[in-house]
Amino acid sequence: MDRLDAMNVLIAAVEAGSLSAASRRLRSPLATVSRKVSDLEAYVGARLVTRTNRKLVLTDAGRGYIEAARRILEHVNEAERAAAGEYAAPRGDLTISAPVAFGRMHVLPVVETFLARHADINVRLLLLDRTVNMLEEHVDLAVRIAPLPDSNLIATRVGSIRHVVCASPAYLKQHGTPRSLDDLARHACITFDGLGPAKAWRFAERDIAVRPRLSVNTAEAVVQAAVSGVGLARVMSYQAADAVKTGKLKLLLRSHEPEPWPVSLIYPDQGMLPLKVRAFLDWAAPRLRKSLAV
């Protein structure tokens, strides 16, 4: 039995949720996937997963084993990258994640110029409005817009982002402009599921209950609805920047904004840093600081 291959199969099965899903992901026959997991369990001498009709569930032994397997495979991959010269010169595939709108506005232009200078590096840019698990999803570097908890991640701060309230001139003309936090109670609001509780907005002084006329799960949809005059919207400053710049939205209640959130480039602390990651950090950090300072 190839134990490293069996570990990869087990991890794929757990991440996919079932043996059949892992079979599709790995493009391997279901019987082969099932046999490799069974062989690994026989070798270890313990049941690692419980098979149900719908999904796989890790046993207590399986939870500990799969974390160790991930570390082992990462060390093997690192050794192979070193042998291939990834630590001698910037080269290889680089996976970066960033929030959708921020990535489009700030990260993509940096990636484009970076690629022009590094012919031996290929970039996979994941634009996602969710927090990625960098180890499980094989992400080399991520943009994080939030206070960072203590973790095994290393952060390079490149700026800060504000939480802003905005509305279209047409909406304000029809419904009036809120001058205080208490005025929010009489306004229709558009809430963004990814920015906190749907029925309360956090300000510097206190949380304010709002009346959500519309709730959506992407920031771009919130901004579009605000531009269309549905109501007041609360988003991050970069998400509304284009609409504010063109006069489609106006910023409100500026003196009540909460503390800005830091914007950081983060990567796992796993020992030697591949030169492809170091090259992108050195290229991206000063350019992001400049674009966020505008």
Side-chain angles (χ1 to χ4, degrees):
M1 177 187 64
D2 183 336
R3 273 189 288 164
L4 295 181
D5 180 51
M7 287 178 185
N8 270 316
V9 170
L10 175 64
I11 291 170
V14 172
E15 290 179 349
S18 69
L19 294 176
S20 57
S23 171
R24 292 190 294 272
R25 175 186 290 188
L26 298 171
R27 297 181 179 178
S28 179
L30 176 57
T32 301
V33 171
S34 180
R35 176 178 54 77
K36 289 182 178 181
V37 172
S38 296
D39 288 349
L40 187 60
E41 289 179 318
Y43 182 87
V44 173
R47 184 172 292 278
L48 302 176
V49 293
T50 299
R51 298 160 176 81
T52 69
N53 290 333
R54 301 188 63 182
K55 63 179 181 179
L56 292 181
V57 179
L58 282 169
T59 63
D60 289 342
R63 280 191 288 272
Y65 184 85
I66 202 166
E67 290 305 316
R70 285 190 173 110
R71 291 194 297 270
I72 289 167
L73 291 173
E74 181 58 35
H75 287 316
V76 170
N77 289 336
E78 184 171 309
E80 290 174 346
R81 291 194 298 267
E86 189 171 293
Y87 293 98
R91 66 180 63 181
D93 296 332
L94 179 65
T95 300
I96 303 166
S97 78
V100 175
F102 186 92
R104 174 178 54 80
M105 295 171 60
H106 294 283
V107 180
L108 182 58
V110 172
V111 168
E112 290 170 347
T113 56
F114 176 78
L115 289 174
R117 292 179 61 89
H118 294 276
D120 293 329
I121 298 178
N122 304 312
V123 172
R124 178 174 176 241
L125 180 60
L126 303 176
L127 300 183
L128 304 165
D129 280 331
R130 64 173 175 84
T131 301
V132 300
N133 185 313
M134 298 186 68
L135 294 178
E136 291 185 4
E137 300 183 53
H138 309 291
V139 172
D140 297 298
L141 188 141
V143 176
R144 192 66 51 84
I145 305 175
L148 298 174
D150 292 336
S151 68
N152 64 337
L153 298 174
I154 298 176
T156 298
R157 183 163 176 168
V158 294
S160 60
I161 292 294
R162 302 173 1 255
H163 292 74
V164 300
V165 176
C166 53
S168 70
Y171 175 89
L172 297 175
K173 182 177 181 180
Q174 182 177 355
H175 299 280
T177 299
R179 305 295 180 186
S180 70
L181 297 182
D182 293 332
D183 290 345
L184 292 176
R186 62 182 179 82
H187 282 275
C189 295
I190 309 161
T191 58
F192 174 29
D193 292 347
L195 202 59
K199 295 187 177 181
W201 288 349
R202 175 158 293 177
F203 292 91
E205 302 92 326
R206 63 187 192 275
D207 291 358
I208 298 294
V210 296
R211 177 169 60 96
R213 286 280 290 150
L214 174 64
S215 180
V216 295
N217 66 344
T218 70
E220 290 183 323
V222 174
V223 172
Q224 182 56 53
V227 169
S228 298
V230 174
L232 307 182
R234 185 169 183 264
V235 293
M236 293 185 177
S237 52
Y238 73 87
Q239 293 164 340
D242 288 345
V244 171
K245 188 181 300 184
T246 58
K248 295 177 180 178
L249 291 177
K250 293 186 176 296
L251 297 180
L252 310 168
L253 303 170
R254 293 288 305 275
S255 62
H256 299 283
E257 291 176 4
E259 284 294 312
W261 275 5
V263 181
S264 306
L265 294 171
I266 62 172
Y267 56 93
D269 182 8
Q270 299 185 84
M272 189 184 303
L273 188 66
L275 288 183
K276 63 183 181 181
V277 179
R278 170 53 58 196
F280 187 79
L281 279 170
D282 292 344
W283 182 260
R287 286 160 179 80
L288 289 175
R289 290 189 183 105
K290 183 177 180 180
S291 66
L292 290 173
V294 175

